[in-house]
Amino acid sequence: MLRRLTTSIIPSRGVKQLVNIKWVRPEYVPAYKQERSGDLEALPNIPSNAIPEVYALSDELKDAPESVKKIFSVEHLGKKEYNALVKKELINRVRRHQYDENTAETRIARITGHIRCLQDTMEKFPRNVKAKQTVQELIDKRKKLLKFLRQYDYKKFEWLLEKLNLEYKAHPETYYKLSRKESLRKLTEMHCEDIRQNKLADYRNLLESQQGPFLKQKLEALKFIKSEQMELQLPVTVSDQDIKKVEEQLEDWRIKDEIKQEARKKKRNILLD
């Protein structure tokens, strides 16, 4: 009872009571998703009525009816054959010559085709643990190969990313655990920095608004001092250059003030509309 009474009388001095900050845990994105893997496209667009190269070389199939050709088309291929066709299509984009099978580019293209096929599988069956582990291993392997290519041949690295429509996402240098306390601390620092910047902007606007009357008073004071010194035949300490400089500053301030006034009017009209 005494504890409840003291807490109700003595307010808490924590940041929670002073700053209204709400922290929401970010949504979890699996590692096989395209947002994290760096794949900017899904499976390549292969026409369903296309005939694979293995069957297209057959002379009997060339003279066969359309119903027979449809059976041997991509539409009726098995999953394993279709995945091999996807890998070959990506390899053909980057291979140097007909027999290029083991360069860094073709290896990356082959792994990319395998990753995209597994991503398609995971979209249909998200609880497939074996496919999830395999795609994560392949993504890590591709990152190592991309890092190697980026280090030794940067032009080819950029060309490869463009051909395969990839985005390079390297391993983070430091790993840290996401916690509510640390996130609230960073959000509080950002909130305080915003308040500081807003106060500085308000103070800057206040000083700029007072600059015009100050320059007018300064100009009048300089002219008065010069005229009095000339009447009393004293050494003139105010030159024409000083007066001209203040006049130019006053004219610049008037132009800037007119621009600001027009911008405020436009903003007010937009809000009213």
Side-chain angles (χ1 to χ4, degrees):
M1 184 68 184
L2 182 61
R3 184 179 296 176
R4 290 180 186 174
L5 185 62
T6 52
T7 53
S8 61
I9 294 173
I10 303 171
S12 175
R13 295 184 179 181
V15 178
K16 246 181 173 181
Q17 302 294 329
L18 301 176
V19 182
N20 185 16
I21 294 176
K22 185 179 180 181
W23 180 72
V24 180
R25 182 176 289 276
E27 186 180 354
Y28 173 72
V29 180
Y32 65 85
K33 289 282 187 181
Q34 294 181 354
E35 296 88 340
R36 288 187 60 183
S37 67
D39 293 271
L40 301 179
E41 69 174 26
L43 293 174
N45 188 15
I46 302 173
S48 59
N49 58 350
I51 298 174
E53 189 178 353
V54 179
Y55 305 125
L57 299 174
S58 173
D59 295 331
E60 290 81 1
L61 193 62
K62 291 179 181 178
D63 302 329
E66 291 296 326
S67 58
V68 177
K69 289 182 179 179
K70 189 175 181 181
I71 294 173
F72 288 93
S73 64
V74 175
E75 185 180 0
H76 293 277
L77 279 181
K79 185 67 177 174
K80 188 176 181 180
E81 290 82 2
Y82 182 76
N83 292 350
L85 192 64
V86 168
K87 293 176 189 176
K88 189 170 184 179
E89 201 277 332
L90 291 176
I91 289 171
N92 288 335
R93 293 184 189 178
V94 299
R95 73 187 339 170
R96 302 180 187 178
H97 48 80
Q98 184 181 359
Y99 304 103
D100 181 13
E101 294 292 339
N102 203 30
T103 57
E105 306 95 85
T106 52
R107 289 169 66 191
I108 292 169
R110 189 181 297 108
I111 293 170
T112 301
H114 197 175
I115 288 169
R116 289 177 183 174
C117 293
L118 287 174
Q119 284 176 342
D120 185 60
T121 303
M122 289 300 299
E123 290 293 334
K124 297 175 183 176
F125 310 103
R127 294 191 179 183
N128 191 336
V129 180
K130 181 63 178 175
K132 187 176 180 181
Q133 292 174 351
T134 306
V135 73
Q136 181 59 57
E137 291 173 1
L138 289 171
I139 289 169
D140 292 338
K141 187 176 180 180
R142 184 177 66 181
K143 282 182 181 179
K144 290 180 181 179
L145 289 171
L146 284 171
K147 183 180 179 182
F148 168 81
L149 191 63
R150 183 172 182 262
Q151 185 176 359
Y152 290 100
D153 196 344
Y154 192 78
K155 287 185 178 179
K156 189 172 286 184
F157 166 78
E158 286 191 333
W159 173 81
L160 185 69
L161 293 184
E162 184 180 353
K163 284 289 183 180
L164 298 178
N165 206 358
L166 287 173
E167 182 183 2
Y168 179 61
K169 294 189 176 182
H171 292 286
E173 295 181 358
T174 57
Y175 292 90
Y176 65 93
K177 188 178 179 181
L178 182 66
S179 63
R180 181 175 179 273
K181 184 176 180 181
E182 185 66 20
S183 301
L184 279 173
R185 185 185 66 78
K186 291 182 180 179
L187 287 172
T188 306
E189 289 178 358
M190 292 168 60
H191 181 73
C192 295
E193 184 64 23
D194 290 340
I195 292 172
R196 177 175 167 274
Q197 293 297 333
N198 291 333
K199 287 186 176 181
L200 286 173
D202 294 339
Y203 187 59
R204 190 182 298 110
N205 293 331
L206 177 64
L207 292 177
E208 288 178 357
S209 63
Q210 294 175 354
Q211 188 178 7
F214 169 76
L215 290 173
K216 289 178 183 178
Q217 292 177 4
K218 183 178 180 180
L219 184 62
E220 292 173 0
L222 289 175
K223 289 180 179 178
F224 175 75
I225 291 169
K226 185 178 179 181
S227 62
E228 288 294 320
Q229 287 176 348
M230 291 176 68
E231 285 182 8
L232 299 173
Q233 296 181 355
L234 295 173
V236 180
T237 57
V238 179
S239 62
D240 294 334
Q241 292 180 355
D242 296 336
I243 296 173
K244 189 176 181 181
K245 185 178 179 180
V246 176
E247 288 177 348
E248 290 176 355
Q249 290 177 353
L250 183 60
E251 187 63 28
D252 292 341
W253 177 84
R254 283 174 180 166
I255 293 169
K256 290 179 182 178
D257 189 59
E258 288 176 0
I259 294 170
K260 284 184 180 179
Q261 293 295 336
E262 289 178 2
R264 286 174 186 171
K265 286 180 181 178
K266 287 181 181 178
K267 189 176 180 180
R268 195 181 299 113
N269 293 332
I270 291 170
L271 292 173
L272 290 173
D273 294 339

